[in-house]
Short mmCIF file of all heavy atoms in Angstrom, two decimals:
data_model
loop_
_atom_site.label_atom_id
_atom_site.label_comp_id
_atom_site.label_asym_id
_atom_site.label_seq_id
_atom_site.Cartn_x
_atom_site.Cartn_y
_atom_site.Cartn_z
N GLY B 162 -2.05 4.65 -13.50
CA GLY B 162 -2.01 5.90 -14.23
C GLY B 162 -1.46 5.77 -15.64
O GLY B 162 -1.58 6.71 -16.44
N GLY B 163 -0.87 4.60 -15.94
CA GLY B 163 -0.42 4.35 -17.30
C GLY B 163 1.07 4.12 -17.46
O GLY B 163 1.50 3.49 -18.43
N SER B 164 1.89 4.60 -16.55
CA SER B 164 3.34 4.39 -16.68
C SER B 164 3.64 2.91 -16.66
O SER B 164 3.17 2.19 -15.79
CB SER B 164 4.08 5.09 -15.54
OG SER B 164 3.84 6.47 -15.56
N THR B 165 4.44 2.47 -17.62
CA THR B 165 4.73 1.05 -17.78
C THR B 165 6.23 0.84 -17.87
O THR B 165 6.94 1.62 -18.52
CB THR B 165 4.04 0.50 -19.04
OG1 THR B 165 2.64 0.81 -18.98
CG2 THR B 165 4.21 -1.01 -19.15
N TYR B 166 6.71 -0.22 -17.23
CA TYR B 166 8.12 -0.54 -17.19
C TYR B 166 8.32 -1.98 -17.65
O TYR B 166 7.59 -2.88 -17.22
CB TYR B 166 8.68 -0.34 -15.78
CG TYR B 166 8.51 1.08 -15.30
CD1 TYR B 166 7.31 1.49 -14.74
CD2 TYR B 166 9.53 2.01 -15.44
CE1 TYR B 166 7.14 2.80 -14.32
CE2 TYR B 166 9.37 3.32 -15.01
CZ TYR B 166 8.16 3.71 -14.47
OH TYR B 166 8.00 5.02 -14.06
N TYR B 167 9.31 -2.18 -18.50
CA TYR B 167 9.54 -3.50 -19.09
C TYR B 167 10.94 -4.00 -18.74
O TYR B 167 11.89 -3.23 -18.63
CB TYR B 167 9.41 -3.42 -20.61
CG TYR B 167 8.04 -3.03 -21.12
CD1 TYR B 167 7.77 -1.75 -21.58
CD2 TYR B 167 7.00 -3.96 -21.14
CE1 TYR B 167 6.52 -1.39 -22.04
CE2 TYR B 167 5.74 -3.62 -21.62
CZ TYR B 167 5.52 -2.33 -22.07
OH TYR B 167 4.27 -1.98 -22.54
N ASN B 168 11.05 -5.33 -18.65
CA ASN B 168 12.36 -5.94 -18.52
C ASN B 168 13.11 -5.71 -19.84
O ASN B 168 12.62 -6.08 -20.90
CB ASN B 168 12.23 -7.45 -18.23
CG ASN B 168 13.54 -8.09 -17.88
OD1 ASN B 168 14.58 -7.76 -18.43
ND2 ASN B 168 13.50 -9.02 -16.94
N PRO B 169 14.30 -5.11 -19.78
CA PRO B 169 15.02 -4.81 -21.02
C PRO B 169 15.28 -6.04 -21.89
O PRO B 169 15.35 -5.92 -23.11
CB PRO B 169 16.35 -4.22 -20.52
CG PRO B 169 16.05 -3.70 -19.17
CD PRO B 169 15.01 -4.61 -18.60
N THR B 170 15.42 -7.20 -21.26
CA THR B 170 15.72 -8.40 -22.04
C THR B 170 14.51 -8.84 -22.87
O THR B 170 14.66 -9.62 -23.81
CB THR B 170 16.15 -9.56 -21.13
OG1 THR B 170 15.06 -9.89 -20.27
CG2 THR B 170 17.36 -9.19 -20.30
N LEU B 171 13.34 -8.34 -22.54
CA LEU B 171 12.12 -8.74 -23.24
C LEU B 171 11.42 -7.57 -23.91
O LEU B 171 10.46 -7.77 -24.66
CB LEU B 171 11.14 -9.39 -22.25
CG LEU B 171 11.60 -10.67 -21.56
CD1 LEU B 171 10.66 -11.01 -20.41
CD2 LEU B 171 11.66 -11.82 -22.55
N LYS B 172 11.90 -6.37 -23.66
CA LYS B 172 11.18 -5.16 -24.03
C LYS B 172 10.76 -5.11 -25.49
O LYS B 172 9.65 -4.65 -25.81
CB LYS B 172 12.02 -3.93 -23.69
CG LYS B 172 11.30 -2.61 -23.92
CD LYS B 172 12.14 -1.44 -23.46
CE LYS B 172 11.38 -0.12 -23.62
NZ LYS B 172 12.16 1.04 -23.14
N SER B 173 11.60 -5.59 -26.37
CA SER B 173 11.28 -5.49 -27.81
C SER B 173 10.14 -6.42 -28.21
O SER B 173 9.60 -6.28 -29.31
CB SER B 173 12.53 -5.81 -28.64
OG SER B 173 12.93 -7.15 -28.41
N ARG B 174 9.78 -7.36 -27.33
CA ARG B 174 8.78 -8.36 -27.69
C ARG B 174 7.50 -8.28 -26.87
O ARG B 174 6.56 -9.03 -27.13
CB ARG B 174 9.36 -9.77 -27.55
CG ARG B 174 10.56 -10.05 -28.45
CD ARG B 174 10.81 -11.56 -28.52
NE ARG B 174 11.30 -12.10 -27.26
CZ ARG B 174 10.82 -13.21 -26.69
NH1 ARG B 174 9.81 -13.86 -27.25
NH2 ARG B 174 11.35 -13.65 -25.56
N ILE B 175 7.44 -7.40 -25.86
CA ILE B 175 6.30 -7.43 -24.97
C ILE B 175 5.51 -6.13 -24.99
O ILE B 175 6.05 -5.06 -25.23
CB ILE B 175 6.71 -7.76 -23.51
CG1 ILE B 175 7.75 -6.77 -23.00
CG2 ILE B 175 7.20 -9.19 -23.41
CD1 ILE B 175 8.14 -7.03 -21.54
N THR B 176 4.22 -6.28 -24.74
CA THR B 176 3.31 -5.15 -24.60
C THR B 176 2.35 -5.46 -23.46
O THR B 176 1.85 -6.59 -23.36
CB THR B 176 2.50 -4.91 -25.89
OG1 THR B 176 3.40 -4.72 -26.98
CG2 THR B 176 1.61 -3.69 -25.74
N ILE B 177 2.12 -4.46 -22.64
CA ILE B 177 1.10 -4.57 -21.60
C ILE B 177 -0.05 -3.66 -21.98
O ILE B 177 0.16 -2.48 -22.30
CB ILE B 177 1.64 -4.12 -20.22
CG1 ILE B 177 2.88 -4.92 -19.83
CG2 ILE B 177 0.56 -4.25 -19.15
CD1 ILE B 177 2.61 -6.39 -19.61
N SER B 178 -1.26 -4.19 -21.95
CA SER B 178 -2.42 -3.38 -22.28
C SER B 178 -3.48 -3.57 -21.19
O SER B 178 -3.46 -4.56 -20.46
CB SER B 178 -2.99 -3.76 -23.64
OG SER B 178 -3.35 -5.11 -23.66
N VAL B 179 -4.39 -2.62 -21.12
CA VAL B 179 -5.43 -2.64 -20.09
C VAL B 179 -6.79 -2.49 -20.74
O VAL B 179 -6.96 -1.69 -21.67
CB VAL B 179 -5.21 -1.51 -19.07
CG1 VAL B 179 -6.38 -1.42 -18.10
CG2 VAL B 179 -3.91 -1.74 -18.31
N ASP B 180 -7.73 -3.28 -20.27
CA ASP B 180 -9.13 -3.16 -20.71
C ASP B 180 -9.95 -2.81 -19.48
O ASP B 180 -10.29 -3.68 -18.68
CB ASP B 180 -9.60 -4.46 -21.35
CG ASP B 180 -10.99 -4.34 -21.98
OD1 ASP B 180 -11.78 -3.49 -21.51
OD2 ASP B 180 -11.28 -5.09 -22.90
N THR B 181 -10.24 -1.53 -19.32
CA THR B 181 -10.94 -1.10 -18.11
C THR B 181 -12.38 -1.60 -18.09
O THR B 181 -12.94 -1.82 -17.02
CB THR B 181 -10.91 0.43 -17.98
OG1 THR B 181 -11.50 1.02 -19.15
CG2 THR B 181 -9.50 0.93 -17.83
N SER B 182 -12.97 -1.79 -19.25
CA SER B 182 -14.36 -2.25 -19.30
C SER B 182 -14.49 -3.68 -18.79
O SER B 182 -15.53 -4.07 -18.25
CB SER B 182 -14.92 -2.14 -20.72
OG SER B 182 -14.24 -3.03 -21.58
N ARG B 183 -13.42 -4.45 -18.97
CA ARG B 183 -13.42 -5.84 -18.51
C ARG B 183 -12.63 -6.03 -17.22
O ARG B 183 -12.53 -7.13 -16.70
CB ARG B 183 -12.87 -6.76 -19.59
CG ARG B 183 -13.71 -6.78 -20.85
CD ARG B 183 -13.18 -7.76 -21.87
NE ARG B 183 -14.01 -7.81 -23.08
CZ ARG B 183 -13.82 -8.65 -24.08
NH1 ARG B 183 -12.83 -9.51 -24.04
NH2 ARG B 183 -14.62 -8.62 -25.13
N ASN B 184 -12.05 -4.95 -16.76
CA ASN B 184 -11.25 -4.97 -15.54
C ASN B 184 -10.14 -6.01 -15.62
O ASN B 184 -9.94 -6.82 -14.70
CB ASN B 184 -12.11 -5.22 -14.29
CG ASN B 184 -11.55 -4.54 -13.05
OD1 ASN B 184 -11.05 -3.43 -13.11
ND2 ASN B 184 -11.65 -5.21 -11.90
N HIS B 185 -9.43 -6.00 -16.71
CA HIS B 185 -8.31 -6.91 -16.83
C HIS B 185 -7.16 -6.25 -17.58
O HIS B 185 -7.33 -5.22 -18.24
CB HIS B 185 -8.70 -8.25 -17.47
CG HIS B 185 -8.99 -8.21 -18.94
ND1 HIS B 185 -9.94 -9.01 -19.53
CD2 HIS B 185 -8.43 -7.53 -19.96
CE1 HIS B 185 -9.96 -8.81 -20.83
NE2 HIS B 185 -9.06 -7.91 -21.12
N PHE B 186 -5.97 -6.82 -17.40
CA PHE B 186 -4.82 -6.37 -18.16
C PHE B 186 -4.17 -7.57 -18.84
O PHE B 186 -4.37 -8.71 -18.42
CB PHE B 186 -3.83 -5.57 -17.30
CG PHE B 186 -3.17 -6.32 -16.17
CD1 PHE B 186 -1.86 -6.74 -16.25
CD2 PHE B 186 -3.88 -6.58 -14.99
CE1 PHE B 186 -1.25 -7.40 -15.20
CE2 PHE B 186 -3.28 -7.24 -13.94
CZ PHE B 186 -1.97 -7.65 -14.04
N SER B 187 -3.46 -7.28 -19.90
CA SER B 187 -2.97 -8.36 -20.75
C SER B 187 -1.49 -8.21 -21.04
O SER B 187 -0.93 -7.11 -21.01
CB SER B 187 -3.74 -8.38 -22.07
OG SER B 187 -5.12 -8.59 -21.85
N LEU B 188 -0.88 -9.35 -21.32
CA LEU B 188 0.52 -9.42 -21.74
C LEU B 188 0.57 -10.03 -23.13
O LEU B 188 -0.04 -11.09 -23.36
CB LEU B 188 1.32 -10.29 -20.78
CG LEU B 188 2.72 -10.71 -21.23
CD1 LEU B 188 3.66 -9.51 -21.27
CD2 LEU B 188 3.29 -11.80 -20.31
N THR B 189 1.25 -9.38 -24.03
CA THR B 189 1.49 -9.93 -25.36
C THR B 189 2.98 -10.10 -25.56
O THR B 189 3.74 -9.16 -25.34
CB THR B 189 0.92 -9.01 -26.46
OG1 THR B 189 -0.48 -8.83 -26.24
CG2 THR B 189 1.14 -9.60 -27.84
N LEU B 190 3.37 -11.31 -25.94
CA LEU B 190 4.78 -11.63 -26.15
C LEU B 190 4.92 -12.19 -27.56
O LEU B 190 4.32 -13.23 -27.88
CB LEU B 190 5.24 -12.66 -25.11
CG LEU B 190 6.68 -13.18 -25.21
CD1 LEU B 190 7.68 -12.04 -24.98
CD2 LEU B 190 6.92 -14.30 -24.20
N THR B 191 5.66 -11.50 -28.39
CA THR B 191 5.79 -11.90 -29.79
C THR B 191 6.99 -12.81 -30.02
O THR B 191 7.89 -12.91 -29.19
CB THR B 191 5.92 -10.66 -30.69
OG1 THR B 191 7.13 -9.96 -30.34
CG2 THR B 191 4.73 -9.72 -30.52
N SER B 192 6.98 -13.48 -31.15
CA SER B 192 8.11 -14.30 -31.61
C SER B 192 8.61 -15.24 -30.53
O SER B 192 9.80 -15.27 -30.20
CB SER B 192 9.25 -13.38 -32.09
OG SER B 192 8.81 -12.49 -33.08
N VAL B 193 7.72 -16.03 -29.99
CA VAL B 193 8.09 -16.90 -28.86
C VAL B 193 9.00 -18.03 -29.33
O VAL B 193 8.93 -18.48 -30.48
CB VAL B 193 6.86 -17.46 -28.14
CG1 VAL B 193 6.02 -16.33 -27.56
CG2 VAL B 193 6.02 -18.33 -29.07
N THR B 194 9.83 -18.48 -28.40
CA THR B 194 10.70 -19.63 -28.61
C THR B 194 10.53 -20.56 -27.42
O THR B 194 9.84 -20.24 -26.45
CB THR B 194 12.17 -19.21 -28.74
OG1 THR B 194 12.64 -18.77 -27.45
CG2 THR B 194 12.35 -18.09 -29.77
N ALA B 195 11.24 -21.68 -27.48
CA ALA B 195 11.16 -22.65 -26.38
C ALA B 195 11.60 -22.01 -25.06
O ALA B 195 11.16 -22.41 -23.98
CB ALA B 195 12.03 -23.86 -26.69
N ALA B 196 12.46 -21.00 -25.13
CA ALA B 196 12.93 -20.32 -23.92
C ALA B 196 11.82 -19.56 -23.21
O ALA B 196 11.99 -19.15 -22.05
CB ALA B 196 14.07 -19.37 -24.27
N ASP B 197 10.70 -19.36 -23.87
CA ASP B 197 9.57 -18.66 -23.26
C ASP B 197 8.62 -19.63 -22.56
O ASP B 197 7.61 -19.20 -21.99
CB ASP B 197 8.81 -17.85 -24.32
CG ASP B 197 9.65 -16.73 -24.90
OD1 ASP B 197 10.25 -15.97 -24.12
OD2 ASP B 197 9.72 -16.63 -26.15
N THR B 198 8.92 -20.92 -22.62
CA THR B 198 8.13 -21.91 -21.89
C THR B 198 8.28 -21.66 -20.39
O THR B 198 9.40 -21.64 -19.87
CB THR B 198 8.59 -23.33 -22.23
OG1 THR B 198 8.30 -23.60 -23.61
CG2 THR B 198 7.91 -24.35 -21.35
N ALA B 199 7.16 -21.46 -19.72
CA ALA B 199 7.22 -21.07 -18.30
C ALA B 199 5.82 -21.06 -17.72
O ALA B 199 4.82 -21.14 -18.45
CB ALA B 199 7.85 -19.69 -18.14
N THR B 200 5.75 -20.96 -16.40
CA THR B 200 4.51 -20.59 -15.74
C THR B 200 4.50 -19.08 -15.61
O THR B 200 5.47 -18.49 -15.09
CB THR B 200 4.40 -21.25 -14.36
OG1 THR B 200 4.37 -22.67 -14.51
CG2 THR B 200 3.13 -20.79 -13.65
N TYR B 201 3.46 -18.46 -16.08
CA TYR B 201 3.34 -17.01 -16.06
C TYR B 201 2.38 -16.58 -14.95
O TYR B 201 1.31 -17.16 -14.79
CB TYR B 201 2.82 -16.51 -17.42
CG TYR B 201 3.87 -16.57 -18.51
CD1 TYR B 201 4.21 -17.79 -19.09
CD2 TYR B 201 4.53 -15.43 -18.94
CE1 TYR B 201 5.20 -17.87 -20.07
CE2 TYR B 201 5.50 -15.49 -19.92
CZ TYR B 201 5.83 -16.70 -20.48
OH TYR B 201 6.80 -16.77 -21.46
N TYR B 202 2.80 -15.58 -14.20
CA TYR B 202 2.01 -15.07 -13.10
C TYR B 202 1.69 -13.60 -13.32
O TYR B 202 2.56 -12.83 -13.74
CB TYR B 202 2.76 -15.17 -11.78
CG TYR B 202 3.12 -16.57 -11.34
CD1 TYR B 202 4.37 -17.12 -11.60
CD2 TYR B 202 2.21 -17.33 -10.61
CE1 TYR B 202 4.70 -18.39 -11.18
CE2 TYR B 202 2.54 -18.61 -10.18
CZ TYR B 202 3.77 -19.13 -10.47
OH TYR B 202 4.11 -20.39 -10.05
N CYS B 203 0.46 -13.21 -12.98
CA CYS B 203 0.19 -11.79 -12.82
C CYS B 203 0.07 -11.50 -11.33
O CYS B 203 -0.20 -12.40 -10.53
CB CYS B 203 -1.05 -11.35 -13.59
SG CYS B 203 -2.61 -12.07 -13.05
N ALA B 204 0.30 -10.25 -10.98
CA ALA B 204 0.32 -9.88 -9.57
C ALA B 204 -0.01 -8.41 -9.41
O ALA B 204 0.06 -7.62 -10.37
CB ALA B 204 1.70 -10.17 -8.97
N SER B 205 -0.33 -8.03 -8.19
CA SER B 205 -0.58 -6.63 -7.89
C SER B 205 0.09 -6.25 -6.58
O SER B 205 0.35 -7.10 -5.72
CB SER B 205 -2.08 -6.33 -7.81
OG SER B 205 -2.64 -6.91 -6.65
N GLY B 206 0.38 -4.97 -6.47
CA GLY B 206 1.00 -4.43 -5.26
C GLY B 206 0.43 -3.06 -4.96
O GLY B 206 -0.17 -2.43 -5.82
N ARG B 207 0.64 -2.59 -3.72
CA ARG B 207 0.15 -1.28 -3.32
C ARG B 207 1.10 -0.20 -3.79
O ARG B 207 2.32 -0.31 -3.67
CB ARG B 207 0.00 -1.21 -1.81
CG ARG B 207 -1.14 -2.04 -1.24
CD ARG B 207 -2.49 -1.59 -1.74
NE ARG B 207 -2.74 -0.18 -1.53
CZ ARG B 207 -3.24 0.33 -0.40
NH1 ARG B 207 -3.53 -0.45 0.62
NH2 ARG B 207 -3.44 1.63 -0.30
N SER B 208 0.52 0.87 -4.30
CA SER B 208 1.29 2.03 -4.74
C SER B 208 0.79 3.25 -3.99
O SER B 208 -0.43 3.45 -3.87
CB SER B 208 1.10 2.23 -6.26
OG SER B 208 1.73 3.42 -6.68
N TYR B 209 1.70 4.06 -3.45
CA TYR B 209 1.30 5.18 -2.60
C TYR B 209 1.53 6.51 -3.30
O TYR B 209 0.64 7.35 -3.38
CB TYR B 209 2.07 5.11 -1.28
CG TYR B 209 1.81 3.81 -0.55
CD1 TYR B 209 2.68 2.74 -0.67
CD2 TYR B 209 0.67 3.65 0.23
CE1 TYR B 209 2.42 1.53 -0.03
CE2 TYR B 209 0.41 2.45 0.88
CZ TYR B 209 1.28 1.40 0.74
OH TYR B 209 1.03 0.22 1.36
N ASN B 210 2.72 6.71 -3.76
CA ASN B 210 3.11 7.92 -4.50
C ASN B 210 4.05 7.47 -5.58
O ASN B 210 4.55 6.35 -5.55
CB ASN B 210 3.81 8.92 -3.58
CG ASN B 210 2.87 9.60 -2.62
OD1 ASN B 210 1.85 10.16 -3.03
ND2 ASN B 210 3.19 9.56 -1.35
N PRO B 211 4.34 8.34 -6.55
CA PRO B 211 5.32 7.94 -7.57
C PRO B 211 6.62 7.49 -6.92
O PRO B 211 7.22 8.23 -6.14
CB PRO B 211 5.50 9.22 -8.39
CG PRO B 211 4.20 9.94 -8.25
CD PRO B 211 3.75 9.66 -6.85
N GLY B 212 7.01 6.26 -7.19
CA GLY B 212 8.24 5.73 -6.63
C GLY B 212 8.10 5.15 -5.24
O GLY B 212 9.07 4.58 -4.72
N VAL B 213 6.96 5.30 -4.62
CA VAL B 213 6.75 4.74 -3.28
C VAL B 213 5.74 3.61 -3.40
O VAL B 213 4.57 3.84 -3.72
CB VAL B 213 6.23 5.80 -2.29
CG1 VAL B 213 6.04 5.18 -0.91
CG2 VAL B 213 7.20 6.98 -2.22
N ARG B 214 6.18 2.42 -3.14
CA ARG B 214 5.30 1.27 -3.36
C ARG B 214 5.74 0.10 -2.50
O ARG B 214 6.87 0.05 -2.01
CB ARG B 214 5.34 0.85 -4.83
CG ARG B 214 6.73 0.50 -5.33
CD ARG B 214 6.75 0.15 -6.81
NE ARG B 214 8.09 -0.22 -7.25
CZ ARG B 214 9.00 0.62 -7.68
NH1 ARG B 214 8.73 1.92 -7.74
NH2 ARG B 214 10.19 0.20 -8.06
#
Side-chain angles (χ1 to χ4, degrees):
Chain B
S164 299
T165 306
Y166 300 83
Y167 297 103
N168 189 322
T170 63
L171 298 168
K172 185 175 183 178
S173 63
R174 298 196 291 133
I175 56 178
T176 303
I177 304 295
S178 59
V179 173
D180 187 333
T181 57
S182 65
R183 297 183 179 185
N184 211 38
H185 72 214
F186 63 105
S187 300
L188 167 68
T189 302
L190 177 64
T191 63
S192 304
V193 298
T194 70
D197 295 311
T198 294
T200 297
Y201 286 76
Y202 298 96
C203 64
S205 70
R207 290 297 307 274
S208 174
Y209 301 96
N210 287 308
V213 181
R214 58 183 182 271

